[in-house]
């Protein structure tokens, strides 16, 4: 039996990609679309057949906690300046904003090659976070350099029955200005949207359904009552001691 609060959810209300036949033949977007931008935190590791020779390019910070011989190493994070630059060992200032992590890795390999034989550079964006609000409240850290909306929803357990799937709002900051787009998860053409591939610091808002708003109001009322009762009990306890 359906709950009086959440009501019934039909298959048509909850099913993604109801026009799934249109998925066949769609051109897959370039997955390396994440661009480095100011205030990003980058971790950069330089590898070489002679790793000892690569040490100048891999500065380490000693973890001060713990004492004794158990202190570990932490890789330095490079903070991208407002101008889009980082200060890299030996090479100095490098402009990185606007590059993908792959492009930056290849550039560093070219610049380091006069100093090292066959260098291999690995670059990651340490602050690749996606924040979900609304009927999903969670912030996730993305370990790689790409994630799309489907994958991110999978990481947070999907959209609950109390969340709308036809009006998913993506909020993004581009060149210091906020922009947004709403995506209808019932339609497969959202995969062709530039907002389908998420970027660092994107906010995904899952709007509640009428049942979801009703449920929130109901729970809010219950919470208020509990708070009032708790306060009353505390006052009684104080004055009857």
């Amino acid at each position: 039996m359906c709950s009086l609060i959440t009501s019934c959810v039909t298959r048509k209300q909850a099913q993604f990609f109801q026009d799934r036949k249109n998925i066949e033949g769609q051109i897959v977007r370039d997955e390396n679309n994440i661009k480095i931008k100011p205030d990003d935190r980058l971790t950069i590791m330089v590898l070489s057949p002679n790793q000892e020779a690569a040490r100048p390019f891999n500065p380490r910070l000693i973890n001060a906690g713990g004492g004794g011989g158990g202190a570990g190493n932490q890789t330095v994070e490079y903070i991208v300046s407002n101008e889009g630059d980082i200060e890299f060992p030996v090479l100095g200032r490098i402009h990185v904003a606007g590059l993908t992590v792959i492009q930056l890795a290849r550039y560093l390999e070219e610049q380091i090659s006069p100093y090292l034989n066959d260098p291999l550079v690995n670059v990651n964006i340490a602050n690749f976070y996606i924040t979900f609000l609304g009927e999903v409240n969670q912030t996730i850290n993305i370990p790689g350099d790409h994630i799309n909306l489907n994958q991110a929803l999978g990481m947070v357990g999907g959209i609950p029955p109390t969340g709308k799937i036809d009006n998913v709002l993506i909020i993004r900051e581009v060149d210091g200005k906020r922009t947004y787009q709403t995506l209808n998860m019932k339609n497969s053409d959202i995969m062709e949207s530039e907002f389908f591939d998420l970027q660092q610091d994107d906010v995904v808002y899952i709007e509640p359904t009428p049942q979801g708003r009703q449920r929130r109001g109901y729970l809010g009322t219950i919470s208020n009552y509990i708070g009032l009762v708790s306060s009353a009990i505390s006052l009684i306890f104080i004055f009857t001691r």
Side-chain angles (χ1 to χ4, degrees):
M1 178 179 291
C2 296
S3 166
L4 293 176
I5 297 175
T6 59
S7 187
C8 295
V9 178
T10 66
R11 179 180 178 184
K12 194 171 184 64
Q13 289 175 313
Q15 184 177 351
F16 286 10
F17 310 128
Q18 296 178 15
D19 59 345
R20 64 191 67 184
K21 292 181 180 179
N22 295 333
I23 295 177
E24 186 175 357
Q26 280 187 346
I27 297 176
V28 179
R29 295 173 57 85
D30 182 8
E31 293 191 349
N32 296 321
N33 67 327
I34 304 299
K35 301 292 195 303
I36 298 169
K37 58 186 181 181
D39 294 327
D40 274 348
R41 305 196 317 270
L42 306 179
T43 58
I44 302 175
M45 176 69 69
V46 179
L47 304 173
S48 171
N50 183 358
Q51 196 57 30
E52 183 65 25
R55 288 187 62 184
F57 299 98
N58 292 310
R60 299 275 180 162
L61 293 178
I62 301 299
N63 188 348
N73 290 328
Q74 288 184 327
T75 303
V76 172
E77 289 184 350
Y78 298 88
I79 309 299
V80 182
S81 70
N82 290 333
E83 293 76 27
D85 303 330
I86 62 170
E87 290 288 340
F88 195 73
V90 181
L91 302 181
R93 180 170 297 183
I94 299 174
H95 188 73
V96 299
L99 299 178
T100 67
V101 294
I102 297 297
Q103 289 171 337
L104 177 56
R106 297 297 172 262
Y107 174 80
L108 290 175
E109 288 170 359
E110 292 177 1
Q111 299 301 309
I112 294 172
S113 58
Y115 306 92
L116 286 176
N117 291 326
D118 300 322
L120 178 65
V121 178
N122 186 291
V123 180
N124 284 298
I125 299 176
N127 62 304
F128 195 168
Y129 292 101
I130 305 296
T131 300
F132 284 82
L133 298 175
E135 289 303 285
V136 177
N137 281 280
Q138 191 173 340
T139 297
I140 54 176
N141 180 226
I142 311 305
D145 62 354
H146 171 78
I147 190 169
N148 62 42
L149 181 58
N150 287 343
Q151 294 165 332
L153 285 172
M155 292 179 68
V156 298
I159 298 178
T162 54
K164 288 187 176 181
I165 70 171
D166 59 353
N167 196 39
V168 177
L169 176 65
I170 313 294
I171 304 172
R172 177 173 298 169
E173 185 174 311
V174 179
D175 297 329
K177 296 181 180 179
R178 286 190 178 89
T179 183
Y180 69 92
Q181 188 172 105
T182 56
L183 300 180
N184 185 348
M185 300 299 295
K186 295 180 181 179
N187 299 332
S188 61
D189 59 3
I190 64 168
M191 297 182 187
E192 299 176 356
S193 168
E194 62 180 345
F195 280 78
F196 181 73
D197 294 303
L198 300 177
Q199 298 185 11
Q200 62 269 45
D201 299 323
D202 276 358
V203 175
V204 181
Y205 175 68
I206 307 298
E207 182 182 353
T209 63
Q211 293 83 6
R213 289 193 293 269
Q214 181 181 358
R215 176 177 176 273
R216 284 192 173 197
Y218 176 80
L219 293 180
T221 301
I222 295 297
S223 298
N224 291 337
Y225 285 145
I226 292 174
L228 289 173
V229 171
S230 298
S231 298
I233 292 173
S234 298
L235 289 173
I236 293 171
F237 178 77
I238 291 172
F239 287 111
T240 56
R241 289 181 62 183

